[in-house]
Amino acid sequence: ATQEMLRKLGYEPVVVDYLDKAKLDALAAMRSAEQFAEHEQFGNTYYTKSPPLETTAEVAEYCRTELDGVVSGSDAVFRLGTPYEPTRVAKRLLGRKNPFEAFSWNDRLPPFFMPFDAPNLLKGSIAASSRGTSFYYMKPHMMRKTGRALADFDFVTVRDDWTGKLVSWLSRGKAEPIYSPDPVF
């Protein structure tokens, strides 16, 4: 939906094909090979994609050299790990493993936040969600990195009030979110 919305506005969208090995391995354990194949076929049929990129540095280099602007979203692109959240700590102490732990970003900022210097690149989000990230339980270095990255965005649109609070609080008011429904609507 986001790609088509951008195309209708006169842009030539490219899906940045970021592949995080740990997350792909976790998905492979949860989903069938057939489902992966269907997803890959769909993407190859309907998306204009970048070459596969495996690190934030590769994403940064591609964006700097090949694109005029980057938008992150829509969906849960602002979801981050909250390892100090009391319920998570209690579950770990009780030996209850979180099956979705591989999908959390506890120690490094994902490329969806565009945590890289690119002075001539327009950066923004479209209808981003944090999926209820308890941002005040993040690691302090992650709070700082996230806030700096968000403050560097040219525009931030979010789909819910909680994500708006995350953006405002972590960026210390430097990024002012605009509320927007998902482009699919």
Side-chain angles (χ1 to χ4, degrees):
T2 303
Q3 174 184 268
E4 291 309 308
M5 178 194 70
L6 291 168
R7 190 171 280 128
K8 285 178 182 178
L9 290 171
Y11 299 101
E12 297 174 26
V14 174
V15 172
V16 176
D17 194 11
Y18 172 66
L19 306 171
D20 183 290
K21 181 165 176 19
K23 289 171 184 39
L24 288 173
D25 289 346
L27 275 173
M30 299 168 71
R31 302 291 182 251
S32 69
E34 294 81 20
Q35 185 176 358
F36 264 84
E38 280 290 322
H39 180 79
E40 192 65 23
Q41 181 180 357
F42 179 90
N44 290 335
T45 301
Y46 295 104
Y47 300 149
T48 302
K49 297 194 302 187
S50 73
L53 306 168
E54 296 182 4
T55 66
T56 299
E58 289 177 359
V59 170
E61 184 60 24
Y62 179 81
C63 291
R64 280 189 207 105
T65 60
E66 301 297 327
L67 304 176
D68 297 320
V70 180
V71 292
S72 187
S74 65
D75 210 348
V77 293
F78 287 174
R79 182 177 184 275
L80 294 166
T82 54
Y84 301 139
E85 188 173 358
T87 55
R88 289 179 191 248
V89 172
K91 285 179 181 179
R92 271 196 309 273
L93 291 173
L94 292 171
R96 295 186 187 151
K97 187 170 169 84
N98 180 351
F100 303 104
E101 192 63 39
F103 300 104
S104 295
W105 300 90
N106 293 327
D107 293 307
R108 63 184 174 92
L109 207 52
F112 320 120
F113 283 90
M114 295 171 262
F116 47 81
D117 185 43
N120 298 318
L121 185 72
L122 181 71
K123 294 180 181 180
S125 73
I126 295 180
S129 170
S130 63
R131 285 195 62 215
T133 297
S134 300
F135 49 88
Y136 36 83
Y137 290 121
M138 291 168 52
K139 292 182 177 180
H141 78 277
M142 287 293 288
M143 288 182 185
R144 288 188 299 276
K145 286 179 181 180
T146 305
R148 283 193 300 267
L150 289 168
D152 195 35
F153 275 41
D154 294 290
F155 65 92
V156 178
T157 73
V158 298
R159 69 167 76 171
D160 58 84
D161 190 49
W162 186 256
T163 303
K165 289 177 183 175
L166 174 145
V167 169
S168 295
W169 195 77
L170 291 175
S171 73
R172 298 179 183 226
K174 292 179 181 153
E176 294 184 32
I178 298 168
Y179 295 87
S180 166
D182 189 293
V184 78
F185 297 111

